[in-house]
Structures are given as structure tokens and as C-alpha cells.
Amino acid sequence: MASSPPPSPQPTRFAVQFAKGKGWKTMYVHESPEAATQAFHEAIKVKPKGFFRLVRLDPNSQDGQDLDFTWKLLALHDPRKGGISGVAALASSTVPRPVRRPIRRPGKPRPGERVGIPFSVYVVMLGLGAALAVVLYMFLGGAGR
């Protein structure tokens, strides 16, 4: 009886994952770190406000039969913190960081921006106009001449 050759150990893989609810969903799995890094940057370009992470997947078993992996976080894209954090190679990445817009203060209108007048001003002006019309009618138009 011929024995089958032992299966080759699984290679280290790299996965790009995105946050979904309270967990992480895997988008891409690559065997080279360069391809995984490129996919990670592409995912950030497509959705810059999303949470993404790049992880290294190491097989737990040496025989290649088990699909259980241990993972190590290589890079994390957190839009609230302003970009990518992780290994030095990814920290000096060429992915543009999102431009921060200044916070708009509620009391300061921008130049050229139309500012609404409160409703009470309309009511007061309508009342004054009606009172003026009644006074003019009584003195000039005369009721009962």
C-alpha cells in the first residue's frame, strides 16, 4: 500500500477585513503581503470612512488539515483617528488622509450664506402693517363720512 505524501504546510496568508456590526468580515485573502497591502489601500480609497484592518493569518496546525488560524493585526484604518496605524511599512503609506473640514459654529454664518429670519419677526411685521392700515383708513378713508 502506497502512502500519500504528507501535505505541505499551509502558507502564511494575509486578510483584509472590514467592520460589520460588532464583528469583522473578510473581504480579501492573499498569500503575498504586497498584494494584501495593495488591497487594503484600495478598500480605503473606495470607502474612506470605513473601518478596515489588515491581519496576518498563521496556521495553527503544521499538517495543513486544520482551518484554524491565529491572526496578528498588521494595520488598522480608523477614520476617527485620522488614518492608518500599524507596522512601519504601512505607516508611511501613500494613501491620502481625508481632509478635515472645520467645525461649523451655529452662530456664525458663512460669507454669502442666506440667513433665515425668525417667524416672530414676520408676525410682528404683519401686525404692525395691519395696525397702520387700520389707522390710515380711519384718518384718511373715513369710516362713516
Side-chain angles (χ1 to χ4, degrees):
M1 178 181 256
S3 66
S4 62
S8 62
Q10 291 182 352
T12 298
R13 295 185 179 147
F14 301 88
V16 178
Q17 300 176 330
F18 68 98
K20 180 92 174 185
K22 291 186 177 183
W24 293 88
K25 301 291 180 188
T26 301
M27 295 173 56
Y28 308 107
V29 176
H30 295 280
E31 293 198 12
S32 73
E34 295 82 20
T37 304
Q38 184 178 7
F40 180 70
H41 292 309
E42 282 296 318
I44 294 170
K45 284 180 186 176
V46 170
K47 191 173 180 184
K49 292 188 177 183
F51 291 83
F52 296 98
R53 70 181 182 182
L54 177 63
V55 296
R56 184 178 72 209
L57 303 172
D58 295 318
N60 277 342
S61 64
Q62 295 300 324
D63 60 1
Q65 298 296 323
D66 194 11
L67 293 178
D68 190 27
F69 294 93
T70 57
W71 60 272
K72 180 181 179 188
L73 181 65
L74 298 178
L76 175 68
H77 175 259
D78 186 351
R80 296 175 302 177
K81 308 261 177 162
I84 301 171
S85 62
V87 294
L90 293 175
S92 63
S93 69
T94 59
V95 174
R97 293 188 174 181
V99 177
R100 289 203 155 189
R101 296 185 185 118
I103 298 172
R104 182 162 183 254
R105 307 278 181 210
K108 294 184 175 181
R110 295 180 188 155
E113 179 180 0
R114 296 182 64 171
V115 179
I117 299 174
F119 182 72
S120 60
V121 173
Y122 288 111
V123 171
V124 169
M125 295 302 288
L126 182 66
L128 288 175
L132 181 64
V134 168
V135 169
L136 287 177
Y137 178 73
M138 288 175 63
F139 285 117
L140 299 177
R145 260 195 195 181

